[in-house]
Amino acid sequence: MIFHHMETVRTITEKSIKTIPEEIADIVPKGFNNNIRWNFGHIAYIQEKLVYGVLGEKMSVPNEYEELFSAGTKPDDWEQTPPTLEEISIVLTEQKSRVKKALQGNFDKELPEPFTNKAGIKFHTLGETFLFSFYHEALHMEAIKRIYLECKK
């Protein structure tokens, strides 16, 4: 059931990224810190961090994702060309099968040290961080929707 939910959430994300024109992906509307491209890249990076990074394992997203899309980053600070939406889309799609394989039977796996998110919530197991990632992805999908609507005005 959990993996089915992951598929549902990620399918929404994958369908959404395919509807965004590349020409509006980098617009940061007034009142926003980030753009649509950053939000999609951030979803991929944080999912990776919440499954692999919290265990101290090697993350498989491209190396530049940390510099471009980790918490606290923003497009105004980018010193390199970010990936295209198509490239981010491929990362998001490929991530599903890797995550499913990594998590199979490991939901109760204790983290080497508890992970505390920006809201101060502390997670102790891999399952907890993974389940939180669904909420995180939905928050950023809402941000993408709001940015898109601003760009269409």
Coordinates of all heavy atoms in Angstrom, one line a residue, residues 63-106:
N63 N 25.4 14.9 -9.3 CA 26.1 15.6 -8.2 C 25.7 17.0 -8.0 O 25.7 17.5 -6.9 CB 27.7 15.5 -8.5 CG 28.2 14.1 -8.3 OD1 27.7 13.3 -7.6 ND2 29.3 13.8 -9.0
E64 N 25.4 17.7 -9.1 CA 25.1 19.1 -9.0 C 23.7 19.4 -8.4 O 23.4 20.5 -8.0 CB 25.1 19.8 -10.4 CG 24.0 19.3 -11.4 CD 24.5 18.1 -12.3 OE1 25.5 17.5 -12.0 OE2 23.8 17.9 -13.2
Y65 N 22.9 18.4 -8.2 CA 21.6 18.5 -7.5 C 21.7 19.1 -6.1 O 20.9 19.9 -5.7 CB 20.8 17.2 -7.5 CG 20.0 17.0 -8.8 CD1 20.6 17.2 -10.1 CD2 18.7 16.6 -8.8 CE1 19.9 17.0 -11.2 CE2 18.0 16.4 -9.9 CZ 18.6 16.6 -11.2 OH 17.9 16.4 -12.3
E66 N 22.7 18.7 -5.4 CA 22.9 19.3 -4.0 C 23.1 20.8 -4.1 O 22.4 21.5 -3.3 CB 24.0 18.6 -3.3 CG 24.2 19.1 -1.9 CD 25.2 18.3 -1.0 OE1 25.9 17.5 -1.6 OE2 25.2 18.5 0.2
E67 N 24.0 21.2 -4.9 CA 24.3 22.6 -5.0 C 23.1 23.4 -5.6 O 22.9 24.6 -5.1 CB 25.5 22.8 -5.9 CG 26.0 24.3 -6.0 CD 27.2 24.4 -6.8 OE1 28.1 23.5 -6.9 OE2 27.3 25.5 -7.5
L68 N 22.4 22.8 -6.5 CA 21.3 23.6 -7.1 C 20.0 23.5 -6.4 O 19.2 24.5 -6.3 CB 21.0 23.0 -8.5 CG 22.1 23.2 -9.6 CD1 21.9 22.3 -10.8 CD2 22.3 24.6 -9.9
F69 N 19.7 22.3 -5.7 CA 18.3 22.1 -5.3 C 18.2 21.7 -3.8 O 17.1 21.4 -3.3 CB 17.7 20.9 -6.1 CG 17.7 21.2 -7.6 CD1 18.3 20.3 -8.4 CD2 17.1 22.3 -8.1 CE1 18.3 20.5 -9.8 CE2 17.0 22.5 -9.5 CZ 17.6 21.6 -10.3
S70 N 19.2 21.7 -3.0 CA 19.1 21.4 -1.6 C 18.4 22.5 -0.9 O 18.2 23.6 -1.4 CB 20.4 21.1 -1.0 OG 21.3 22.2 -1.0
A71 N 17.9 22.3 0.3 CA 17.2 23.3 1.1 C 18.1 24.5 1.3 O 19.3 24.4 1.5 CB 16.8 22.7 2.5
G72 N 17.5 25.6 1.2 CA 18.2 26.9 1.3 C 18.8 27.4 0.0 O 19.3 28.6 0.0
T73 N 18.8 26.7 -1.0 CA 19.4 27.1 -2.3 C 18.3 27.9 -3.0 O 17.1 27.8 -2.7 CB 19.9 26.0 -3.2 OG1 18.8 25.1 -3.5 CG2 21.0 25.2 -2.5
K74 N 18.7 28.7 -4.0 CA 17.7 29.4 -4.9 C 18.4 29.7 -6.2 O 19.6 29.9 -6.3 CB 17.2 30.6 -4.2 CG 18.2 31.7 -3.8 CD 17.5 32.8 -3.0 CE 18.5 33.9 -2.7 NZ 19.6 33.6 -1.8
P75 N 17.6 29.8 -7.2 CA 18.1 30.1 -8.6 C 19.0 31.3 -8.7 O 19.9 31.3 -9.5 CB 16.8 30.2 -9.4 CG 15.8 29.4 -8.7 CD 16.1 29.6 -7.2
D76 N 18.7 32.3 -7.9 CA 19.5 33.5 -8.0 C 21.0 33.3 -7.7 O 21.9 34.0 -8.1 CB 19.0 34.6 -7.0 CG 17.7 35.3 -7.4 OD1 17.3 35.1 -8.6 OD2 17.1 36.0 -6.6
D77 N 21.2 32.2 -7.0 CA 22.6 31.9 -6.6 C 23.3 30.9 -7.5 O 24.5 30.5 -7.3 CB 22.6 31.3 -5.1 CG 22.2 32.3 -4.1 OD1 22.3 33.5 -4.4 OD2 21.7 31.9 -3.1
W78 N 22.6 30.4 -8.5 CA 23.1 29.3 -9.4 C 24.3 29.9 -10.2 O 24.2 31.0 -10.8 CB 22.1 28.8 -10.4 CG 21.0 28.0 -9.7 CD1 21.0 27.4 -8.5 CD2 19.8 27.5 -10.3 NE1 19.9 26.7 -8.2 CE2 19.1 26.7 -9.4 CE3 19.2 27.7 -11.6 CZ2 17.9 26.1 -9.6 CZ3 18.0 27.1 -11.8 CH2 17.3 26.3 -10.9
E79 N 25.4 29.2 -10.2 CA 26.6 29.5 -11.0 C 26.8 28.5 -12.2 O 27.8 28.6 -12.8 CB 27.8 29.6 -10.1 CG 27.7 30.7 -9.1 CD 28.9 30.8 -8.2 OE1 29.9 30.0 -8.4 OE2 28.9 31.7 -7.3
Q80 N 25.9 27.6 -12.3 CA 26.0 26.6 -13.4 C 24.6 26.5 -14.1 O 23.6 26.9 -13.5 CB 26.4 25.3 -12.9 CG 25.5 24.7 -11.8 CD 26.1 23.4 -11.2 OE1 26.2 22.4 -11.9 NE2 26.4 23.4 -9.9
T81 N 24.6 26.0 -15.3 CA 23.4 25.8 -16.0 C 22.6 24.6 -15.3 O 23.2 23.5 -15.2 CB 23.6 25.5 -17.5 OG1 24.4 26.6 -18.0 CG2 22.4 25.3 -18.2
P82 N 21.4 24.8 -14.9 CA 20.6 23.7 -14.3 C 20.1 22.7 -15.4 O 20.1 23.0 -16.6 CB 19.4 24.4 -13.7 CG 19.2 25.6 -14.6 CD 20.6 26.0 -15.0
P83 N 19.7 21.5 -14.9 CA 19.2 20.5 -15.9 C 17.9 21.0 -16.5 O 17.2 21.8 -15.9 CB 19.0 19.3 -15.0 CG 18.9 19.8 -13.6 CD 19.7 21.1 -13.5
T84 N 17.6 20.5 -17.7 CA 16.3 20.8 -18.3 C 15.2 20.1 -17.5 O 15.5 19.2 -16.7 CB 16.3 20.3 -19.8 OG1 16.4 18.8 -19.7 CG2 17.4 20.9 -20.6
L85 N 14.0 20.5 -17.8 CA 12.9 19.8 -17.2 C 12.8 18.3 -17.6 O 12.5 17.5 -16.8 CB 11.5 20.5 -17.6 CG 11.3 21.9 -17.0 CD1 10.0 22.4 -17.4 CD2 11.4 21.8 -15.4
E86 N 13.2 18.0 -18.8 CA 13.2 16.7 -19.3 C 14.3 15.9 -18.5 O 14.0 14.7 -18.1 CB 13.6 16.6 -20.8 CG 13.7 15.2 -21.4 CD 12.4 14.4 -21.2 OE1 11.3 14.9 -21.2 OE2 12.5 13.1 -21.1
E87 N 15.4 16.4 -18.3 CA 16.4 15.7 -17.5 C 16.0 15.5 -16.0 O 16.2 14.4 -15.5 CB 17.8 16.5 -17.5 CG 18.4 16.5 -18.8 CD 19.5 17.6 -18.9 OE1 19.5 18.6 -18.2 OE2 20.5 17.3 -19.8
I88 N 15.3 16.5 -15.4 CA 14.8 16.3 -14.1 C 13.7 15.2 -14.1 O 13.6 14.4 -13.2 CB 14.2 17.6 -13.5 CG1 15.4 18.6 -13.3 CG2 13.5 17.4 -12.2 CD1 14.9 20.0 -13.0
S89 N 12.9 15.2 -15.1 CA 11.8 14.3 -15.3 C 12.3 12.8 -15.3 O 11.8 11.9 -14.7 CB 11.0 14.5 -16.6 OG 10.0 13.6 -16.7
I90 N 13.4 12.6 -16.0 CA 14.1 11.3 -16.1 C 14.5 10.9 -14.7 O 14.3 9.7 -14.3 CB 15.2 11.3 -17.1 CG1 14.6 11.4 -18.5 CG2 16.1 10.0 -17.0 CD1 15.7 11.7 -19.6
V91 N 15.1 11.8 -14.0 CA 15.6 11.5 -12.6 C 14.4 11.1 -11.7 O 14.5 10.1 -11.0 CB 16.4 12.7 -12.0 CG1 16.6 12.5 -10.5 CG2 17.7 12.9 -12.7
L92 N 13.4 11.9 -11.8 CA 12.2 11.6 -11.0 C 11.6 10.2 -11.3 O 11.2 9.4 -10.4 CB 11.1 12.7 -11.2 CG 11.4 14.0 -10.6 CD1 10.4 15.1 -11.2 CD2 11.2 14.0 -9.1
T93 N 11.5 9.9 -12.6 CA 11.0 8.6 -13.0 C 11.9 7.4 -12.6 O 11.4 6.4 -12.0 CB 10.8 8.6 -14.5 OG1 9.8 9.6 -14.8 CG2 10.2 7.2 -15.0
E94 N 13.2 7.5 -12.8 CA 14.1 6.5 -12.4 C 14.2 6.3 -10.9 O 14.5 5.2 -10.5 CB 15.5 6.7 -13.1 CG 15.5 6.6 -14.6 CD 16.8 7.0 -15.2 OE1 17.7 7.5 -14.5 OE2 17.0 6.7 -16.4
Q95 N 14.0 7.3 -10.2 CA 14.1 7.3 -8.8 C 13.1 6.3 -8.1 O 13.5 5.6 -7.2 CB 13.9 8.7 -8.2 CG 14.3 8.9 -6.8 CD 14.2 10.4 -6.4 OE1 13.1 11.0 -6.6 NE2 15.3 10.9 -5.9
K96 N 12.0 6.2 -8.7 CA 10.9 5.4 -8.1 C 11.4 3.9 -7.9 O 11.2 3.3 -6.8 CB 9.7 5.4 -9.0 CG 8.8 6.6 -8.9 CD 7.5 6.4 -9.7 CE 7.7 6.0 -11.1 NZ 6.6 6.1 -11.9
S97 N 11.9 3.3 -9.0 CA 12.3 1.9 -8.9 C 13.5 1.7 -7.9 O 13.5 0.7 -7.2 CB 12.6 1.3 -10.2 OG 13.6 2.0 -10.9
R98 N 14.4 2.6 -7.9 CA 15.5 2.5 -7.0 C 15.1 2.6 -5.6 O 15.5 1.8 -4.7 CB 16.6 3.6 -7.3 CG 17.4 3.4 -8.5 CD 18.6 4.4 -8.6 NE 18.1 5.8 -8.6 CZ 18.1 6.6 -7.6 NH1 18.5 6.2 -6.4 NH2 17.7 7.9 -7.7
V99 N 14.2 3.6 -5.3 CA 13.7 3.8 -3.9 C 12.9 2.5 -3.5 O 13.1 2.1 -2.3 CB 12.9 5.1 -3.9 CG1 12.0 5.1 -2.6 CG2 13.8 6.3 -4.0
K100 N 12.1 2.0 -4.3 CA 11.3 0.9 -4.0 C 12.2 -0.3 -3.6 O 12.0 -1.0 -2.6 CB 10.3 0.5 -5.1 CG 9.4 -0.6 -4.8 CD 8.4 -0.8 -5.9 CE 7.4 -1.9 -5.6 NZ 6.4 -2.1 -6.6
K101 N 13.2 -0.5 -4.4 CA 14.2 -1.6 -4.1 C 14.9 -1.4 -2.8 O 15.0 -2.3 -2.0 CB 15.2 -1.8 -5.3 CG 16.1 -3.0 -5.1 CD 17.1 -3.0 -6.3 CE 16.4 -3.3 -7.6 NZ 17.3 -3.5 -8.7
A102 N 15.3 -0.2 -2.6 CA 16.1 0.1 -1.3 C 15.2 0.0 -0.1 O 15.7 -0.4 1.0 CB 16.7 1.6 -1.4
L103 N 14.0 0.3 -0.2 CA 13.1 0.3 1.0 C 12.5 -1.0 1.3 O 12.0 -1.2 2.4 CB 12.0 1.4 0.8 CG 12.5 2.8 1.0 CD1 11.5 3.8 0.5 CD2 12.8 3.1 2.5
Q104 N 12.4 -1.9 0.3 CA 11.8 -3.2 0.5 C 12.3 -3.9 1.8 O 13.5 -4.2 1.9 CB 12.1 -4.1 -0.7 CG 11.1 -5.2 -0.9 CD 9.7 -4.7 -1.4 OE1 9.7 -3.9 -2.3 NE2 8.7 -5.3 -0.9
G105 N 11.4 -4.0 2.8 CA 11.8 -4.7 4.1 C 12.6 -3.8 5.0 O 13.1 -4.3 6.0
N106 N 12.8 -2.5 4.7 CA 13.7 -1.7 5.5 C 12.9 -0.5 6.2 O 13.6 0.4 6.7 CB 14.8 -1.1 4.6 CG 15.8 -2.2 4.3 OD1 16.2 -2.9 5.2 ND2 16.2 -2.2 3.1

